[in-house]
Amino acid sequence: SDDFHYENYLLKVNITLILDISGSMDFSLTGVQNNVSYNDRRVTIMKNQTKALIESFATNTNDDVEINIALVPFNGSANSVKVFRNVKTEKASLISDVNSLCGGLNNNQNCDGGTNTGDGMRRAYYRLLQKSQAQANDSTITRDYKIKNYNIFLSDGATSFRSLNYVQTGTESVYECSWWGWNCRWVD
């Protein structure tokens, strides 16, 4: 539990929503793979719940609390991390980002690829680190503040893809392989 009281502080809350967009997200909740209606797809349910979460955060009326959200969609990799958006002032853009996952809001949406949970978590970590460092170095903030970082992870199942521990010196690149160790490549 957090025993610190935030009275008279500006609270900056940074949240990454780590969202599974792998191929199995096109399945139904019961695992049916073919002829699944748009509303019964896992990805549609995830999108609806993600938008409800954004709407909930946007109802915050405390001017001393700033909530920023970045989407981290992942499948075999997490190479399309979105920028942080202020949930009060950029809610429509956040909702649009969610709607665009897997090709949009129609029956032709298509999620694909494996499930590399580690890359989603890694990209979220670095996005939060980057955001909180920028906030800590922001000289325009004239009052005391606290930064709180959170990850929210939404996935339908087990990891089927992984990133190995070969890190290129001085970069954030990793060597990514399928779960079985083949089809390897460097990714930024």
Side-chain angles (χ1 to χ4, degrees):
S1 117
D2 191 349
D3 294 329
F4 189 83
H5 299 283
Y6 296 107
E7 290 180 23
N8 301 318
Y9 279 84
L10 174 62
L11 181 60
K12 294 181 169 284
V13 178
N14 303 314
I15 302 167
T16 57
L17 298 178
I18 307 163
L19 306 173
D20 185 349
I21 58 167
S22 65
S24 62
M25 293 299 286
D26 277 338
F27 301 174
S28 74
L29 288 178
T30 59
V32 173
Q33 298 180 25
N34 298 314
N35 301 318
V36 179
S37 73
Y38 172 78
N39 288 330
D40 292 334
R41 292 180 183 180
R42 295 172 185 175
V43 68
T44 303
I45 296 164
M46 180 188 69
K47 285 180 182 184
N48 290 339
Q49 294 305 308
T50 300
K51 290 184 286 189
L53 186 61
I54 291 168
E55 293 285 352
S56 177
F57 284 128
T59 64
N60 171 48
T61 58
N62 185 338
D63 291 334
D64 293 331
V65 177
E66 174 187 301
I67 302 172
N68 303 292
I69 296 176
L71 303 183
V72 183
F74 73 94
N75 50 20
S77 65
N79 294 333
S80 299
V81 178
K82 307 298 183 192
V83 298
F84 272 98
R85 297 186 189 277
N86 182 300
V87 75
K88 281 186 186 177
T89 61
E90 299 176 275
K91 180 178 80 169
S93 295
L94 274 167
I95 298 294
S96 178
D97 287 346
V98 171
N99 287 338
S100 71
L101 295 173
C102 296
L105 288 175
N106 59 52
N107 216 23
N108 295 323
Q109 70 183 352
N110 183 31
C111 298
D112 63 0
T115 307
N116 189 341
T117 56
D119 201 38
M121 295 297 287
R122 179 180 65 85
R123 297 288 183 159
Y125 168 80
Y126 282 108
R127 183 63 78 193
L128 284 169
L129 180 63
Q130 179 184 43
K131 179 68 172 176
S132 58
Q133 286 175 339
Q135 289 170 325
N137 294 325
D138 185 351
S139 61
T140 65
I141 301 173
T142 59
R143 58 189 278 206
D144 291 334
Y145 64 92
K146 294 292 177 186
I147 299 170
K148 302 295 272 184
N149 293 326
Y150 300 94
N151 289 318
I152 298 175
F153 187 84
L154 300 172
S155 179
D156 69 346
T159 298
S160 63
F161 220 74
R162 64 185 169 142
S163 300
L164 298 178
N165 293 329
Y166 306 121
V167 178
Q168 292 179 355
T169 305
T171 70
E172 191 186 321
S173 299
V174 297
Y175 196 60
E176 178 181 272
C177 295
S178 69
W179 185 253
W180 302 277
W182 47 268
N183 194 22
C184 298
R185 64 192 171 104
W186 283 103
V187 293
D188 293 328

